[in-house]
Amino acid sequence: MDDRTKLVDAGRHPEQQKGTVNPGVYRASTILFPNVAEFERPRAYPDVGYGRYGTSTAFNLQEAVQALEGGGQCLTVSSGKAAIVQALLALVEPGDHILVTDSAYGPTRTFADGFLKRFGVETTYYDPTIGAGIAGLIRPNTRVVFMESPGSLTFEVQDVPAMCQAARERGVVTVMDNTWATPLFFKPLAHGVDVSILAATKYIGGHSDLLMGTITTVPALADQMRARVHDMGTPAAADDCWLALRGLRTLAVRLAQHQAGAIAMAEWLAARPEVARVMHPALPDDPGHALWSRDFTGASGLFGIRLKPFGKPALTAMLDGLELFGMGFSWGGYESLIIPSRLARLRTVTPWPEGGPTLRLHIGLEAIDDLKADLAAGFERLKAAA
Ligand SMILES: *Cc1c(COP(=O)(O)O)cnc(C)c1O
């Protein structure tokens, strides 16, 4: 079945909800049992027993994400960061070692360098483009290879199948943060990944009004992951599951529009004299283009640019005057965003070369000509203040 059909169909049970197209919001702590036998009955997931393990609202969403991810078991937690933290904690013990891409989302590094280190887990960062060479960094106590492709802020594409093969041959579990592509444009499990993570906060929700993470695990790890994630006790709330499921239904049409807008904008920016480089894997001259073409079925709305050397006052003049692009963290909503990205402090093995300022853009669902006009006026301010 085509993914677009799954997005509409999966996790919908009108017969269980008085015929309504969408599920009800079942907010619950207590679930009442009719008798002692039901109270004492061992519960197999997904089975409603206590609100913290989810109600049918969460299970409907999990079922839909699972269908899109292509099988396995989906769990929903309270944020994308919580999904990363809990998936990693479910897989490591003190004394273990993990490998994390140097292009990982900043707060992933914060967790590895802070909590995991105190917990006795050592992290080695690796060049995101290492590919099968990851084998050379695997030690006897390496438990996890963590990937994120394209990388946060710099958008390097990873050779996920080659890395997964190298890890699997050595008994190492692979975890991937797939927030950029969503399983609509890249399917981690089909490419060999064991644990697929999404910040559902971004494109699944799609409206900048919720925080959620999903952890989808291959069947072999499902029981361990579920037990350990449940042990952390931070489920996604029923209202947010309902919103995320509502967002998911329109994911395909939104992403098609984000993709078209971002590619048009990336091409326009690549031709601007103020821009030194565009970091977008769908552009043919991007270093990650060959891998992206091989493995991905689309590109989302997030990419980076590097400007020619302009000073801070010029950059500030450009950004402060923008009218359509908002400035703020996160992305994946319907609106366009731009932020200056500070790369140097986030790299340890693949230093980012000195040069002009870098920006991260999220292209929303506005008309592209209006967005170009907003940026064109910004470039005039940039040059005037240089
Ligand atoms: C935003 C983001 C997260 C974290 O999601 P939150 O819901 O904000 O915690 C994780 N990974 C990537 C790649 C992200 O962009």
Side-chain angles (χ1 to χ4, degrees), residues 107-130:
T108 302
R109 295 182 80 105
T110 314
F111 174 66
D113 298 342
F115 185 91
L116 278 185
K117 187 169 177 225
R118 281 189 283 116
F119 185 64
V121 171
E122 189 188 348
T123 300
T124 302
Y125 293 98
Y126 62 84
D127 179 340
T129 62
I130 197 168

Side-chain angles (χ1 to χ4, degrees), residues 78-82 84 105 108 148 152 177 179-180 199-202 211-213 330-331 360:
S78 56
S79 70
K81 166 110 183 187
I84 293 163
Y105 177 62
T108 302
E148 182 181 331
S152 270
D177 183 335
T179 301
W180 183 86
T201 306
K202 311 287 167 59
L211 288 161
M212 190 185 300
S330 207
W331 46 275
R360 188 189 72 183

Side-chain angles (χ1 to χ4, degrees), residues 12-322:
R12 266 205 306 126
H13 301 286
E15 74 287 356
Q16 295 169 13
Q17 55 213 26
K18 298 186 165 38
T20 58
V21 169
N22 294 300
V25 185
Y26 290 96
R27 303 182 186 90
S29 51
T30 301
I31 309 290
L32 298 173
F33 303 106
N35 51 44
V36 172
E38 268 300 302
F39 178 78
E40 291 180 343
R41 179 170 63 82
R43 313 211 106 69
Y45 175 86
D47 191 357
V48 181
Y50 182 53
R52 200 172 58 231
Y53 305 115
T55 61
S56 59
T57 315
F59 298 149
N60 290 165
L61 171 64
Q62 291 167 5
E63 194 183 324
V65 172
Q66 233 163 257
L68 190 64
E69 292 269 16
Q73 162 199 266
C74 173
L75 302 168
T76 45
V77 295
S78 56
S79 70
K81 166 110 183 187
I84 293 163
V85 164
Q86 295 183 31
L88 286 172
L89 278 181
L91 297 167
V92 295
E93 308 290 341
D96 286 347
H97 169 246
I98 66 169
L99 291 163
V100 174
T101 177
D102 206 29
S103 58
Y105 177 62
T108 302
R109 295 182 80 105
T110 314
F111 174 66
D113 298 342
F115 185 91
L116 278 185
K117 187 169 177 225
R118 281 189 283 116
F119 185 64
V121 171
E122 189 188 348
T123 300
T124 302
Y125 293 98
Y126 62 84
D127 179 340
T129 62
I130 197 168
I134 195 72
L137 296 179
I138 292 176
R139 306 178 189 167
N141 64 338
T142 304
R143 288 288 165 268
V144 170
V145 172
F146 187 96
M147 296 167 280
E148 182 181 331
S149 178
S152 270
L153 304 177
T154 42
F155 303 92
E156 298 94 333
V157 182
Q158 300 196 261
D159 191 342
V160 174
M163 295 179 70
C164 288
Q165 190 184 338
R168 199 177 319 111
E169 284 167 4
R170 289 158 185 83
V172 175
V173 173
T174 46
V175 179
M176 179 176 178
D177 183 335
N178 190 38
T179 301
W180 183 86
T182 84
L184 197 64
F185 286 160
F186 181 84
K187 295 228 184 287
L189 270 50
H191 287 87
V193 174
D194 297 310
V195 181
S196 167
I197 288 172
L198 289 176
T201 306
K202 311 287 167 59
Y203 286 123
I204 308 300
H207 294 73
S208 307
D209 54 6
L210 66 90
L211 288 161
M212 190 185 300
T214 68
I215 305 169
T216 305
T217 308
V218 291
L221 288 169
D223 289 345
Q224 176 178 336
M225 186 60 71
R226 191 175 63 249
R228 293 185 174 184
V229 166
H230 280 173
D231 196 33
M232 304 304 286
T234 65
D239 290 88
D240 289 340
C241 289
W242 188 89
L243 276 176
L245 194 51
R246 181 177 171 133
L248 189 76
R249 300 300 178 203
T250 58
L251 181 66
V253 280
R254 285 186 288 108
L255 269 188
Q257 182 70 23
H258 286 296
Q259 162 165 254
I263 290 175
M265 185 62 91
E267 285 169 347
W268 180 79
L269 286 166
R272 290 287 314 194
E274 303 85 358
V275 175
R277 199 190 141 196
V278 176
M279 296 169 270
H280 190 313
L283 296 194
D285 58 355
D286 188 272
H289 184 70
L291 282 177
W292 174 80
S293 309
R294 187 191 70 184
D295 294 343
F296 289 66
T297 54
S300 66
L302 190 78
F303 65 96
I305 59 172
R306 169 177 230 162
L307 298 175
K308 302 252 172 77
F310 285 97
K312 186 81 184 261
L315 185 68
T316 306
M318 175 188 174
L319 296 179
D320 283 356
L322 291 173

